[in-house]
Amino acid sequence: MGHHHKHSSKQPPNKPTATTRRYIRWHTTETHKTEPTSTLVLTTPLGHFVDIRVKLPTALSTSDFPVPLVHSSLITPVPNVLPTSSLDWAFAGTTQLGEPQQDGRRHCKWLHFVDSRTTNGEDVNDEGFLREEVTDPDALGGRTVWESETGEGLDASGLLAGYEEGWLPVPVILTRDGVDAFPGRDDAVSLLEPEEDELSEVEVVTLRLQDPDGDGVRGMVVRVGWWCQGVFRGADGAFQAERWWFDGGRWERLLRVGDETADGRRGRLTGALQAAMDPAELVEGRTPQFGDDKWNAVELSKR
């Protein structure tokens, strides 16, 4: 983060995606790759995204990356509300993607609208280079398409450092058949891509909350297919985040992180999440109200 380059026009992604991080390596402190979080990023065709990274009690094994496995922690519900200290980072905003360069890398900028680490998300300089990587078809797990990200950021000690990350695509629509324990591995699931015709009906919803009085209330909820995530910050600074998925015919909450707001409410995301998961009443451009909060339905589509 922090480099300046001349780029051609920035553009949002054009298809809805869900991705999970499977490793990070800091150039300052670590020679090996680790994955200390359960991370899921949902991104819409217009470039709206919600990125939630929750610390895990034990870092994931990265030795077999990039075998197309998603760690079971991603789809294992956490029954209790987690404190915000359990967050590594959670943020939401819009993505700007540059054109591919000669080496295949694309400059990407993530503009933060809500951020668990700061009340001034706009001041966060979050950018890096993405490149599609393909593994050897003869390797364990066969041909896997994944994405590497390189850039600069603040490491655990607060120092500006170079990093690299590995990101795996997660199917935006999961059939139950696609969630099978990997043979001999009880910590991983193999997520099968759906057939192309199933992908034609991917529900996409983006709801955005910004208090017109400028008191700092902000939120964003993004649904991509059978995944839904939301983040919220109250006027008093309280932060909340939730992750849901559609499992076996019903929506199930996987994660709930956060503080009570000053009025004692913990579920400030509830109404918007429920509307995104069942969007029949939503109309793009309208401002549905949930409790005291008036949200904007900024993106509704089926892809």
Side-chain angles (χ1 to χ4, degrees):
M1 304 178 198
H3 292 299
H4 295 282
H5 302 269
K6 286 185 177 176
H7 302 291
S8 49
S9 60
K10 290 292 193 305
Q11 59 195 47
N14 56 14
K15 67 173 186 175
T17 61
T19 55
T20 184
R21 197 179 71 183
R22 283 297 278 116
Y23 78 79
I24 183 167
R25 183 172 76 86
W26 291 99
H27 297 170
T28 42
T29 54
E30 298 164 9
T31 54
H32 62 289
K33 300 168 181 176
T34 63
E35 185 45 72
T37 71
S38 169
T39 292
L40 181 70
V41 184
L42 304 180
T43 307
T44 73
L46 294 183
H48 299 110
F49 74 87
V50 175
D51 181 332
I52 297 177
R53 311 175 181 194
V54 175
K55 297 173 192 171
L56 290 170
T58 308
L60 308 186
S61 167
T62 59
S63 59
D64 56 3
F65 184 85
V67 173
L69 299 180
V70 171
H71 196 267
S72 55
S73 59
L74 191 66
I75 56 169
T76 303
V78 178
N80 50 318
V81 179
L82 296 171
T84 45
S85 59
S86 68
L87 280 175
D88 173 59
W89 204 359
F91 52 99
T94 50
T95 304
Q96 294 180 340
L97 202 54
E99 296 290 340
Q101 301 180 354
Q102 281 187 326
D103 61 2
R105 298 190 308 164
R106 302 178 76 174
H107 182 257
C108 190
K109 194 160 189 171
W110 294 271
L111 306 175
H112 293 211
F113 173 66
V114 191
D115 190 305
S116 63
R117 295 181 179 178
T118 176
T119 53
N120 297 312
E122 289 88 349
D123 295 341
V124 176
N125 184 23
D126 187 2
E127 55 187 297
F129 287 91
L130 301 176
R131 182 166 62 193
E132 187 175 278
E133 313 279 356
V134 182
T135 57
D136 182 346
D138 298 327
L140 178 67
R143 182 179 183 274
T144 304
V145 178
W146 57 287
E147 206 162 43
S148 64
E149 179 188 333
T150 54
E152 286 188 327
L154 297 178
D155 67 10
S157 58
L159 296 174
L160 187 66
Y163 69 85
E164 68 177 84
E165 294 175 325
W167 294 84
L168 270 179
V170 178
V172 293
I173 292 180
L174 292 178
T175 56
R176 190 65 211 172
D177 299 341
V179 187
D180 291 323
F182 207 70
R185 291 280 303 271
D186 58 3
D187 66 339
V189 291
S190 176
L191 298 180
L192 304 179
E193 279 289 358
E195 298 298 323
E196 272 301 314
D197 57 343
E198 289 181 290
L199 273 178
S200 62
E201 283 290 287
V202 177
E203 195 93 48
V204 173
V205 178
T206 303
L207 295 168
R208 191 172 181 272
L209 170 67
Q210 184 168 14
D211 194 288
D213 301 329
D215 65 1
V217 173
R218 289 187 172 194
M220 189 173 280
V221 166
V222 165
R223 174 185 170 186
V224 170
W226 288 5
W227 300 95
C228 192
Q229 295 193 138
V231 291
F232 168 87
R233 185 178 288 283
D236 57 349
F239 189 86
Q240 300 173 3
E242 293 192 29
R243 176 186 296 162
W244 292 69
W245 82 315
F246 191 72
D247 175 33
R250 64 185 180 88
W251 285 95
E252 180 175 39
R253 185 169 61 215
L254 295 169
L255 284 174
R256 190 176 194 179
V257 182
D259 314 308
E260 285 187 359
T261 50
D263 58 6
R265 288 168 60 198
R266 188 168 253 141
R268 292 286 285 271
L269 282 162
T270 303
L273 285 163
Q274 288 174 345
M277 292 184 274
D278 184 13
E281 302 296 313
L282 292 177
V283 179
E284 193 168 303
R286 295 274 175 87
T287 54
Q289 184 143 343
F290 310 112
D292 299 329
D293 301 319
K294 188 178 281 190
W295 292 69
N296 290 311
V298 296
E299 184 178 7
L300 291 175
S301 66
K302 285 191 176 180
R303 290 291 169 124

